[in-house]
Amino acid sequence: MTKKKKSRILVFILSLLCYLGLTSFTDIQELIAGIIVSLIVSLIAGRFLLQNDKFVKHFLRIFKAIKYLFLFLWEMAKANIHVAYLVLHPDLPIKPGIVKIKSNLKNDSSITALANSITLTPGTLTIDVNDENHDLYIHCIDVKSENVLINTNTIGGKFEKLLAEVFE
Amino acid sequence: MIDKIGMFFICTGILFDFFGVLGLVRLPDVYNRLQAATKCVTFGSAGILFGVFLIQGFNSFGFKAILGIAFLFLTSPVSAHAIARSAHKSGVPMADVTVVDQYKDDLELKGD
Amino acid sequence: MKVVRWLIGLMCIGAFLYGNFLVFQGNLLIKLMNIILFCSLFVLFRVIFGPTAADRIIAVDILGVLIIGLLALTSLFYEQGFFMDIGLIWALMSFVAALAFSKILEGRTLDD
């Protein structure tokens, strides 16, 4: 079975589940309509979901993905309390700036996940990604140091190990 | 009981919405405003949707709320990233308190 | 000057809280929805008086995320599921709009 076929079957199952969840699944007519609609969707746009084969083989890494999700939610709650403190302070104690960090991730999807989780965690916002040597430019609301290696450890270090285990 | 937990989540979400909007008004330049607004308002709206899911339970209504949370977490960092990048490229100035700008330095190196 | 701005802001927030929780008699969900509408007034301030175009784009994007929370509360109040559908479609449209605006701001056309 080729990669495209696997991807199409996965898209078919996911979109059928979404359809049945969005409509209240009590009727046989809705089931038939859902099967027809998800067949059309998987024929048109089904080949883009799976980029590499490994994700299907190692199914155990879904537990690591759940662990990553909980770490991410905890960091995000801390981020919101930090921003609320900064906004409510009368003097606005901010020291903004744009710094550069390096990352070892090679995959496109893992770099996207790293950039998105950096954006949603305390005081940092991804501005640009260099395609060739995988540098990330990050806007910090409170710059601690201007060294590249120290910033790599403090900003991206927490997520990078778990993301390398999940995606690569 | 589950209704009270849901109302607690809804009230927390509205509180964080208010903080994010306050940051949008108070902070000095585009990038800082983007930080406060994106983080706090996304978290607040996700909190409201999660409270609605807890009150409604697992019917089609609650499933739509869960789908909305996943959608917010996927799209809001992407649009923040796009807006910040295009603002920097179109030359929107940074505030006076800015300490360092390594992105601009690297772009100038590449240009030479 | 700074003190005057602080006083005006605190007076606005205090007057709103007094009117919403002490004078207005109504359901709790309606009071919570009023808070979100008050927050969107702050966002409209940024839309009107924003110094650059990027500020206005951020404000419109944030307004979309706020309205998703408002529609979730509305659907909880009327117990109608279709408001959630409107919220999901609104999130999609505002995401695409933010991407298109940022592309125009960067100086490219929508074709490439």
Side-chain angles (χ1 to χ4, degrees), chain A residues 72-73 76 116 120, chain B residues 42-43 46 68-77:
Chain A
F72 169 71
L73 281 179
M76 192 170 169
N116 281 0
L120 289 174
Chain B
T42 305
F43 192 69
I69 293 176
F71 196 75
L72 271 184
F73 278 170
L74 281 181
T75 61
S76 128

Side-chain angles (χ1 to χ4, degrees), chain A:
Chain A
M1 194 184 284
T2 58
K3 193 164 58 174
K4 277 185 185 175
K5 250 181 197 171
K6 272 183 196 170
S7 169
R8 285 216 164 100
I9 289 173
L10 196 59
V11 167
F12 175 73
I13 294 171
L14 281 180
S15 52
L16 186 60
L17 283 181
C18 266
Y19 191 92
L20 292 183
L22 283 176
T23 61
S24 47
F25 35 96
T26 53
D27 209 349
I28 191 80
Q29 290 180 357
E30 282 176 352
L31 185 67
I32 294 170
I35 288 175
I36 292 172
V37 169
S38 26
L39 260 183
I40 294 173
V41 168
S42 64
L43 280 182
I44 291 175
R47 62 203 153 93
F48 302 113
L49 185 64
L50 282 186
Q51 298 293 342
N52 53 351
D53 254 341
K54 286 183 197 164
F55 198 81
V56 185
K57 276 180 195 164
H58 302 134
F59 209 69
L60 275 180
R61 60 177 76 191
I62 202 152
F63 292 111
K64 293 216 169 111
I66 290 172
K67 189 182 163 193
Y68 171 73
L69 194 67
F70 277 106
L71 176 74
F72 169 71
L73 281 179
W74 171 240
E75 288 291 326
M76 192 170 169
K78 275 202 304 192
N80 282 285
I81 292 169
H82 178 240
V83 172
Y85 165 72
L86 283 183
V87 166
L88 289 179
H89 200 285
D91 291 334
L92 286 180
I94 58 174
K95 203 170 108 184
I98 297 179
V99 297
K100 178 167 87 168
I101 72 169
K102 293 187 179 305
S103 84
N104 297 319
L105 304 173
K106 296 286 185 294
N107 228 333
D108 273 351
S109 50
S110 58
I111 284 185
T112 309
L114 179 66
N116 281 0
S117 31
I118 281 175
T119 297
L120 289 174
T121 49
T124 49
L125 174 80
T126 312
I127 286 188
D128 204 354
V129 179
N130 194 339
D131 288 334
E132 293 152 10
N133 45 11
H134 305 292
D135 290 343
L136 276 79
Y137 296 95
I138 291 179
H139 180 272
C140 287
I141 207 168
D142 197 4
V143 178
K144 294 285 192 310
S145 79
E146 299 184 12
N147 192 339
V148 174
L149 292 175
I150 295 175
N151 282 329
T152 305
N153 274 329
T154 53
I155 294 173
K158 278 172 294 193
F159 299 118
E160 205 169 322
K161 273 185 233 156
L162 267 175
L163 276 179
E165 286 172 358
V166 172
F167 281 101
E168 286 178 355

Side-chain angles (χ1 to χ4, degrees), chain C residues 99-101 103-104 107-112:
Chain C
L99 286 190
F101 276 139
K103 208 166 182 181
I104 291 173
R108 292 188 287 173
T109 55
L110 291 180
D111 296 334
D112 57 9

